[in-house]
C-alpha cells in the first residue's frame, strides 16, 4: 500500500517510523510519503490560510496550495507505476462519517491512500469538491470532539489500517477477535485479557482460563464481551439482533438482564417497563 500525507507539520507524523507501522515500512509493505503543504505556496510568507468569507472567527486553509499539492501527489503516484491510477483521498474532519473498524477494513483493501489533514477551521470546501471529480473521497471522524489539527487523526487511521494489511501483524488471526471486528465481534467490545503470573497482588486469573477447555474458554470470553459492551456501550446493544446469538448466548444475555422484545425489535432490560 502507498500512503501520501500532505500537511503543514510533516514532523508530526514521525511516529509512522516506529512500532508496527515502522516495521511495515522497513519491510516494504507500506510505502509512506510525507509532503509539506507549504512547498506549494507562492508568497514569501508561505501562507496557507486566509480569513473566511462571510465572516466569523478563525482562518480557512487556501485552495491554491492544496490543489497544487494534490496535483503533485497524483502525478508522483502515477509515475511510480506501483499503485492504481488514483488514490482514495481521506480527509480527517469532525464533520465526517465515523471512522470504524469496518471503514478501516474497507480502506485497507485499497492500494493507495492520500490523507489531507487540515488545520485552523478546515480546508476551503472547493478543494474537496474538486478532488471528488478525480478520485474517491472519504471524509472521516475519529470521534465526537475537535482537535487542533488532523495529523493525530491520520496517525490513528494509518495504524488502524496498516495492522490489517497481510503480514503486518505477527499473527494473522490477531485482529479477528478485536472489538468491532466484522463477524462475531460486530457491535461488541472485547472482554478482559490476562497473562502470567496466575496470581498478582492477591488477584487471581479467572479459573476458567486455566482449565484448558477451549470451548468453555471461548464461551466465557464471549459472555465477557456481552457484559463489557452492556456496561460501557449500551448504545451498541440497541443494534444487536436476535438471530446473531445462539440459544446458549441468549441465555447468557438473560443472566445479564436482557430479553428480546419482539414488538420493539431489540434487546431490552427486563427491568424496563414494556412499551404499550
Amino acid at each position: 500500500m502507498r500512503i501520501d500525507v500532505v500537511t503543514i507539520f510533516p514532523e508530526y507524523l514521525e511516529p509512522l517510523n516506529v512500532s508496527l507501522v515502522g516495521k511495515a515500512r522497513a519491510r516494504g509493505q507500506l510505502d509512506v510519503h510525507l509532503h509539506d503543504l507549504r512547498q506549494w505556496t507562492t508568497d514569501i510568507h508561505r501562507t496557507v490560510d486566509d480569513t473566511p468569507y462571510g465572516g466569523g472567527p478563525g482562518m480557512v486553509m487556501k485552495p491554491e496550495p492544496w490543489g497544487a499539492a494534490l496535483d503533485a501527489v497524483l502525478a508522483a503516484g502515477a509515475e511510480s507505476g506501483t499503485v492504481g491510477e488514483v488514490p482514495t483521498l481521506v480527509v480527517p474532519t469532525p464533520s465526517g462519517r465515523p471512522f470504524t473498524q469496518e471503514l478501516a477494513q474497507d480502506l485497507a483493501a485499497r492500494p493507495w491512500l492520500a490523507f489531507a489533514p487540515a488545520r485552523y477551521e478546515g480546508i476551503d470546501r472547493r478543494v474537496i469538491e474538486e478532488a471528488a471529480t478525480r478520485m474517491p473521497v472519504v471524509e472521516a471522524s475519529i470521534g465526537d470532539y475537535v482537535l487542533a489539527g488532523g495529523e493525530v487523526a491520520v496517525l490513528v487511521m494509518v495504524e488502524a489500517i496498516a495492522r490489517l494489511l497481510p503480514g503486518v501483524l505477527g499473527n494473522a488471526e490477531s485482529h479477528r477477535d478485536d472489538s468491532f471486528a466484522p463477524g462475531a465481534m460486530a457491535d461488541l467490545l472485547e472482554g478482559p485479557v490476562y497473562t502470567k503470573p496466575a496470581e498478582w497482588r492477591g488477584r487471581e486469573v479467572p479459573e476458567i482460563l486455566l482449565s484448558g477447555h477451549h470451548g468453555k474458554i471461548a464461551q466465557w470470553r464471549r459472555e465477557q464481551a456481552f457484559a463489557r459492551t452492556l456496561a460501557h456501550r449500551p448504545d451498541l446493544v440497541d443494534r444487536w439482533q436476535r438471530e446473531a446469538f445462539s440459544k446458549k448466548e441468549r441465555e447468557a444475555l438473560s443472566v445479564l438482564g436482557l430479553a428480546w422484545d419482539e414488538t420493539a425489535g431489540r434487546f431490552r432490560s427486563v427491568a424496563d417497563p414494556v412499551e404499550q
Side-chain angles (χ1 to χ4, degrees), residues 4 27 31 43 54-55 59 66 75 79 86-88 98 107 150 154 164 170 175 179 182 194 202 213 220 237 274:
D4 288 87
R27 290 193 297 261
D31 184 20
D43 66 309
M59 304 290 279
W66 271 107
E79 289 171 6
V86 296
T88 294
L107 295 175
V154 171
L164 297 174
H175 56 74
S179 299
Y194 302 85
H213 194 300
W220 179 87
V237 175
V274 177

Side-chain angles (χ1 to χ4, degrees), residues 8 37-50 59 62 64-66 68:
I8 61 173
L37 178 66
R38 294 190 190 277
Q39 70 178 304
W40 288 286
T41 56
T42 57
D43 66 309
I44 191 172
H45 300 294
R46 304 179 77 192
T47 306
V48 296
D49 61 306
D50 207 334
M59 304 290 279
K62 294 165 61 67
E64 298 95 335
W66 271 107

